[in-house]
């Protein structure tokens, strides 16, 4: 890392990083962006954001909460080269006893779709989930029509578990969901040795 990159990195509250992106902590400074993404028809279609979200609703997300054991841990995805946030990713429904969580991701800036960014971000959150949080199993449930999303799961090597019939109601019809999982032991076997 050269001096300029080092300085830029210090200006961004980096939590962890991959090649193209950083994960930074959620930040109310970008509240208008969160709201824009959550209401964008293209972005929200399979993210199940059916009810419109106002900036005033979103402000509540940033109110201080009790610092206990969270059942959600999420990040803003920051594009290193373009120096801006482009989406969000998180682990939800975290079950600390059984070591289980569900992955959710939304690249809110659709101009960045199909550039491998969700794949890179998902790989990064997997590493964090297994190596830092000591989770054991990650799960994803994806609408069968959301080819971009289940392609990410396939590319990474998630195991296809099955189809949940009529799991979602999207654009006037019931849509089946593909469920995927990844066990830490399987990920450990194939992750590149550093
Ligand atoms: C789904 C989403 C996260 C994918 O992000 P992304 O950064 O485009 O994903 P990637 O580029 O890493 O991988 C997408 C893959 O799907 C492929 N793909 C996308 N649409 C496709 C289509 N209609 N037919 C065939 N392949 C398709 C891409 O070519 C790419 O594969 P490749 O790298 O082998 O070319 C992004 O589109 C998004 O945020 N959508 C809105 C929110 C959402 O649906 N979130 C997921 C809810 S489960």
């Amino acid at each position: 890392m050269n001096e300029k990159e080092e300085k830029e990195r210090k200006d961004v509250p980096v939590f962890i990083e991959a090649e193209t992106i950083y994960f930074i902590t959620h930040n109310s400074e970008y509240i208008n962006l969160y709201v824009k993404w959550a209401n964008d028809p293209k972005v929200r279609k399979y993210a199940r954001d059916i009810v419109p979200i106002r900036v005033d609703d979103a402000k509540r997300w940033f109110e201080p909460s009790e610092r206990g054991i969270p059942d959600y841990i999420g990040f803003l995805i920051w594009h290193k080269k373009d120096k801006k946030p482009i989406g969000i990713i998180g682990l939800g429904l975290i079950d600390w006893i059984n070591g289980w969580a569900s992955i959710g991701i939304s690249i809110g800036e659709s101009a960045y779709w199909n550039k491998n960014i969700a794949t890179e971000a998902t790989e990064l959150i997997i590493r964090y989930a297994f190596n830092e949080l000591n989770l054991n199993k990650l799960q994803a449930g994806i609408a069968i029509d959301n080819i971009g999303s289940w392609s990410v799961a396939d590319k990474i090597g998630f195991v296809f578990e099955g189809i949940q019939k009529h799991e979602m109601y999207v654009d006037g019809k019931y849509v089946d969901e593909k469920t995927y999982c990844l066990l830490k032991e399987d990920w450990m076997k194939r992750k590149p040795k550093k």
Side-chain angles (χ1 to χ4, degrees), residues 43 105-107 113-116 118-119 146 148-149 151-152 155:
V43 178
I105 181 165
S106 190
I107 306 297
W113 289 4
N114 299 324
K115 297 180 189 295
N116 205 50
T119 304
N146 195 354
S149 189
S151 298
V152 172
K155 278 198 280 178

Side-chain angles (χ1 to χ4, degrees), residues 60-138:
R60 264 183 269 140
W61 302 340
F62 299 94
E63 282 169 9
S65 54
E66 295 276 318
R67 274 193 75 86
I69 299 172
D71 63 1
Y72 174 81
I73 298 178
F75 301 99
L76 251 180
I77 302 169
W78 180 275
H79 195 279
K80 282 157 81 166
K81 189 163 149 285
D82 295 350
K83 303 182 181 52
K84 62 174 193 178
I86 56 168
I88 53 173
I89 188 164
L91 299 166
L93 306 171
I94 304 174
D95 175 340
W96 294 103
I97 294 176
N98 297 300
W100 190 95
S102 176
I103 296 186
I105 181 165
S106 190
I107 306 297
E109 298 297 323
S110 55
Y112 290 82
W113 289 4
N114 299 324
K115 297 180 189 295
N116 205 50
I117 287 180
T119 304
E120 193 178 318
T122 305
E123 295 271 17
L124 186 59
I125 208 157
I126 292 169
R127 199 167 77 219
Y128 170 67
F130 289 152
N131 283 354
E132 296 202 50
L133 301 179
N134 196 22
L135 294 176
N136 184 53
K137 179 177 175 179
L138 298 173

Side-chain angles (χ1 to χ4, degrees), residues 116-181:
N116 205 50
I117 287 180
T119 304
E120 193 178 318
T122 305
E123 295 271 17
L124 186 59
I125 208 157
I126 292 169
R127 199 167 77 219
Y128 170 67
F130 289 152
N131 283 354
E132 296 202 50
L133 301 179
N134 196 22
L135 294 176
N136 184 53
K137 179 177 175 179
L138 298 173
Q139 189 269 347
I142 307 166
I144 203 159
D145 298 340
N146 195 354
I147 304 174
S149 189
W150 56 253
S151 298
V152 172
D154 279 339
K155 278 198 280 178
I156 290 175
F158 274 75
V159 174
F160 172 60
E161 287 189 307
I163 301 266
Q164 304 292 319
K165 297 293 287 179
H166 286 198
E167 192 70 9
M168 299 176 207
Y169 188 68
V170 183
D171 276 352
K173 59 171 183 157
Y174 289 100
V175 176
D176 296 345
E177 181 185 82
K178 295 177 89 172
T179 60
Y180 285 85
C181 85

